[in-house]
Each structure stands twice: as C-alpha cells, then as structure tokens.
Amino acid sequence: MRKSTLDILRCPKCSASLALETNETADDVETGTLRCKECAATYPLTGGVARFVPAENYAHNFGVQWNMFSKTQLDSHSGHPISENRFDQYTGWREADLADRLVLDAGCGAGRFAEVALKRGARVIAIDFSHAIDAARANLRDKGDIDFIQADINALPFAPNTFPLAYCLGVIQHTPDPAISFRKLADIVAPGGRLAVDVYPAGWKNIFFVKYWIRPLTRQLSAERSYRLVEKIFPILYPVSQVVGRIPRLGHYLRYLIPVVNYEGDYPLDPRQQREWALLDTFDMWAPAYDQPQSMAALRGWFEKSGFEDIVTFHKGFFVGRGIKPTGSRR
C-alpha cells in the first residue's frame, strides 16, 4: 500500500484517521500496522495489503475461487474484451471519465474490472472481503496506479464522499443485506460522483435454475470440499449440458436445469477457455454463503432512497443500475 493512500483511509470502527507504523522507507509499503488515532484499534498491513477484516469470513469461498482461477477472466489472459465490454455497458463511463480519476472497485475478485479501469488511466482503489485481494494484487500491481485493501463493504475504511467514481459488479447479491451494502457504497461516493452496480435478477424464471435447488445443501460445505465435489461432477455433467444446450430453441433454457455452467455460444472463447470459465462459475454457483437476487424496482429504489439523480436501470444479463450523486449532497 502506498503511503499517500493513508489520506483517504478511516477507521471502520470510529471513522477517525489512521497512522501508519512501519520500518519501511519506500512509498509502497509491504508490511506495517495501521493504528486509529482515536480508538487505538489496529489493522495489519501484510503482503502490501491493508487488512480491515478477519482472515476467515463468509467470503472465504470467493478467496479460494479467485486464487485458483486468478487469471481466467482477465481480458489480458483470455485475449477477448469480455470484461471490458461488460464494464463499458454497465457503467456507461467513457475513457475521459476515468482518466486520472479516483475509482473504487468494490469487490474486485481477481481484478477483471480493475484491469479495465487501469487501462483507461484511472487511479484505482480495489477492495475485496476475501483473500481474493491477494490474487488481484499479484495480477495488477504492476499495471497502473492501484492500491489493494481487504475490507467489508458494510464497514468501509474510507471517509464519506471520497470517490468520484465507484462500481460494484457481481458482488452485492452475495452480501448479507444487499440494501445496506448499497447504502454504504452510496455514502462514500463524492457529490457529483457516479455509482454503478449490478445484481442477479429476481423473477419467476429463477425456479428453473437448479442452482437455487441445490444451494441449501452445497453452501453447507467448506469451499475446499465444494470444489472437490464440483471437480468430480463437472466432467460428467458438462458434456450433458452441451448436448442439451444445442437443442433448437429450447436448449438455452433447458441447460439451466443442469447444475453446471455452460457458456457455449455466449462468449468468443475457444473450447478450453469455455470449459475453464464454466468450471470457475460452477464453483461460483455452488459455494456462496449468500445469493439474493433483486428486482429491478428494488435496485432503482436503492438509488432513489440515497438521493441519486439521472438514474438508469436496465436488464443486460444482470439487472444494472447507475446514477449520479447530487452536487449538494453531504450524505
């Protein structure tokens, strides 16, 4: 973590500023301690990451996932602008909006979207609740202006009104209370700043998604046991999903009845990449402690209750929302 990042950090317990204790003289610090100037709470800085949460938490499975598949969804690894296209469609931001701007990536995983923001010249603060943050740092630390922080969206270690731009993609539905998580993000967006989020869609069609049938069982397993089970079942069911998915007209829908992911026809990936993405997201489908789809009305309501303006919501795979915080807002 760079010493200059200390200026925007705050104690998540009392919101006071923090002091850095370290023996290192370089600006980019690998090891040290952050100490609250008011309540004296301390937070370790290890492996170049400031850590504001326990090592073990409900997002442990995501840490396992993103350290095993640390490069799979990076555009620089796949050779296709899949993450870049989603980032552009969901945020609506142009390169000029990002260049030299401070941007929060809330729930960065292995860094697929942070890589895009860095490519556009942003100064990125990437946070994740799990030790996926270490995979992100390994992937991106040399790719631009970025810092990595292990933190909880519901207890963000930042001053209010800090970020001109913030996004949270593929994350909020996996928190204990998505509405609270959204409010916490809204609070740290600067007046005049922009926030973009997405959520899994809620709706009657979800009754056909077998993942919701099996998750009450699979989420009881440890991440490691869950992945071992996926490894055994995936080679059997993935070819079945491929055959079913090729049934004219109905195959795209019928494949959701099989408890593995299948992206055939969705992304311009070669067969090996298709299989790797499918294995990754099958584990992602089975393992989360929380999976709470939201309605479009609920998503829009979050923005409205937080006072955002120019709100746009739409369905593009996920339900997507974005808006601008009023310039006079001090929330």
Side-chain angles (χ1 to χ4, degrees), residues 208-280:
F208 297 107
F209 291 177
V210 72
K211 71 175 184 176
Y212 294 114
W213 307 353
I214 66 172
R215 180 164 288 130
L217 299 175
T218 59
R219 70 183 179 187
Q220 304 302 319
L221 303 175
S222 69
E224 291 78 10
R225 289 187 62 192
S226 180
Y227 183 70
R228 288 197 296 270
L229 185 58
V230 168
E231 279 189 309
K232 291 179 181 178
I233 292 176
F234 184 84
I236 300 169
L237 294 183
Y238 183 60
V240 175
S241 177
Q242 288 179 303
V243 171
V244 170
R246 294 166 189 165
I247 296 173
R249 303 183 69 176
L250 295 177
H252 180 80
Y253 302 99
L254 292 175
R255 70 187 187 183
Y256 288 110
L257 295 172
I258 301 170
V260 296
V261 174
N262 175 6
Y263 288 126
E264 193 171 54
D266 294 339
Y267 296 136
L269 301 169
D270 64 40
R272 180 194 61 78
Q273 292 173 318
Q274 291 275 5
R275 193 179 190 282
E276 184 177 335
W277 278 58
L279 179 60
L280 158 63

Side-chain angles (χ1 to χ4, degrees), residues 42-214:
T42 59
Y43 308 97
L45 197 167
T46 60
V49 177
R51 303 181 191 270
F52 293 92
V53 297
E56 295 298 322
N57 53 59
Y58 72 78
H60 172 69
N61 59 291
F62 288 113
V64 172
Q65 169 183 318
W66 293 121
N67 278 280
M68 286 194 298
F69 297 92
S70 63
K71 296 186 182 297
T72 299
Q73 293 185 338
L74 297 179
D75 287 352
S76 60
H77 178 73
S78 73
H80 299 282
I82 296 171
S83 297
E84 183 173 10
N85 289 342
R86 180 172 160 189
F87 182 91
D88 290 345
Q89 291 168 357
Y90 285 19
T91 66
W93 303 337
R94 300 165 299 175
E95 185 168 352
D97 297 319
L98 288 152
D100 299 318
R101 303 292 295 282
L102 182 64
V103 179
L104 176 69
D105 181 331
C108 63
R112 64 182 295 194
F113 299 116
E115 182 180 56
V116 177
L118 288 173
K119 180 181 175 182
R120 305 286 171 77
R123 179 195 172 199
V124 179
I125 303 295
I127 71 166
D128 203 278
F129 193 34
S130 76
H131 60 277
I133 196 69
D134 297 296
R137 186 171 188 265
N139 284 333
L140 303 178
R141 62 177 300 186
D142 297 323
K143 289 196 173 186
D145 193 351
I146 185 167
D147 270 304
F148 305 89
I149 296 171
Q150 189 173 5
D152 184 354
I153 286 178
N154 291 337
L156 289 165
F158 305 110
N161 306 311
T162 292
F163 292 92
L165 298 170
Y167 62 88
C168 183
L169 303 180
V171 174
I172 283 187
Q173 64 271 348
H174 295 311
T175 64
D177 190 323
I180 290 177
S181 298
F182 180 90
R183 288 201 303 271
K184 297 296 185 179
L185 287 171
D187 286 346
I188 54 85
V189 174
R194 305 181 190 184
L195 174 64
V197 303
D198 65 17
V199 293
Y200 289 168
W204 65 269
K205 291 181 181 179
N206 285 359
I207 65 174
F208 297 107
F209 291 177
V210 72
K211 71 175 184 176
Y212 294 114
W213 307 353
I214 66 172

